[in-house]
Amino acid sequence: MEYEKLNKIILKRLKENLPEHLSYHSVMHVKDVIDSVEKIAKSENVNDEDLLLLKTAALFHDTGFLYGSKEHEAKSCEIAEEYLSDHGYSQEQIEKIKGMIMATKIPQTPHNHLEQILADADLDYLGRKDFFVIGDKLFEELSMFGIVNSERDWNLLQEKFLESHHYFTETAINSRNQKKQDNLDIIKTKLKNY
């Protein structure tokens, strides 16, 4: 599996072709998810082959945004399929990767351990210190699409999202749940003060 080679090709393609108004679904987000997937996978004792499959899925999971946000996960699977067979991935490995990519679709419904790890890595920031910094990028992007129109709308959306979200892996539950709760409490306080 030529992951390193693919990593260069795909990141370059995203850097050059992702629409500029995507302040959240950016190359930075993809790199962040790859980092998170590595940390979670190591903590979850994933073997080397599966770690490579996870990193590959993380690399491709938002490539569908090159063609628009609608059904981008399915488009990401098509793009992955296009590249992977030429870079040493078996059909079975490609199917696993596509399953992981689809597990990032909201609401998340992962069907196995690897899918749970990528789902958790994709939303790792919900339980981190940089939650509000990253959240601002998503607010900017959703405002651009007309999905939210004010900071209050955004905080209501975040409140609902954080309340319904749950992590799947023991690693994410143990390392992210408390901070996610703190972040939710801050949002609730903001909403009270409007």
Side-chain angles (χ1 to χ4, degrees), residues 64-119:
F65 274 99
L66 290 163
Y67 298 92
S69 58
K70 202 172 171 347
E71 300 297 325
H72 71 271
E73 297 90 357
K75 192 67 190 158
S76 297
C77 289
E78 285 172 34
I79 296 168
E81 186 131 35
E82 239 170 78
Y83 280 92
L84 296 177
S85 51
D86 296 337
H87 288 86
Y89 291 74
S90 70
Q91 198 48 49
E92 187 192 345
Q93 290 169 324
I94 294 171
E95 290 311 314
K96 275 188 181 175
I97 288 168
K98 284 161 58 177
M100 290 184 245
I101 292 171
M102 291 311 293
T104 64
K105 190 176 169 76
I106 307 289
Q108 295 179 327
T109 49
H111 300 110
N112 60 46
H113 192 217
L114 295 182
E115 292 181 10
Q116 290 178 337
I117 292 172
L118 185 59

Side-chain angles (χ1 to χ4, degrees), residues 33-41 51 54-55 58 117-118 121:
V33 175
I34 295 170
D35 286 346
S36 299
V37 105
E38 279 193 271
K39 286 180 191 135
I40 298 169
L51 175 59
L54 274 161
K55 285 166 67 176
I117 292 172
L118 185 59

Side-chain angles (χ1 to χ4, degrees), residues 14-65:
L14 292 173
K15 217 173 266 158
E16 290 171 0
N17 301 304
L18 269 179
E20 277 178 27
H21 61 257
L22 295 178
S23 38
Y24 172 82
H25 291 99
S26 62
V27 172
M28 237 173 75
H29 169 68
V30 173
K31 287 179 173 172
D32 185 55
V33 175
I34 295 170
D35 286 346
S36 299
V37 105
E38 279 193 271
K39 286 180 191 135
I40 298 169
K42 285 197 173 100
S43 171
E44 295 278 316
N45 298 315
V46 166
N47 68 44
D48 290 347
E49 182 192 333
D50 284 344
L51 175 59
L52 220 46
L53 295 179
L54 274 161
K55 285 166 67 176
T56 306
L59 176 66
F60 279 95
H61 86 284
D62 275 344
T63 50
F65 274 99

Side-chain angles (χ1 to χ4, degrees), residues 138-184:
L138 187 54
F139 172 55
E140 204 178 299
E141 189 174 305
L142 295 178
S143 302
M144 221 270 332
F145 285 118
I147 296 167
V148 291
N149 299 311
S150 66
E151 201 178 320
R152 184 170 181 276
D153 285 356
W154 167 237
N155 282 320
L156 287 167
L157 186 71
Q158 290 209 102
E159 176 185 43
K160 198 171 141 198
F161 188 72
L162 286 172
E163 282 176 342
S164 65
H165 171 267
H166 61 269
Y167 287 114
F168 300 98
T169 61
E170 214 172 298
T171 301
I173 290 166
N174 294 334
S175 65
R176 296 295 182 231
N177 261 356
Q178 186 51 58
K179 187 68 186 155
K180 185 180 83 170
Q181 188 54 53
D182 297 345
N183 290 335
L184 176 58

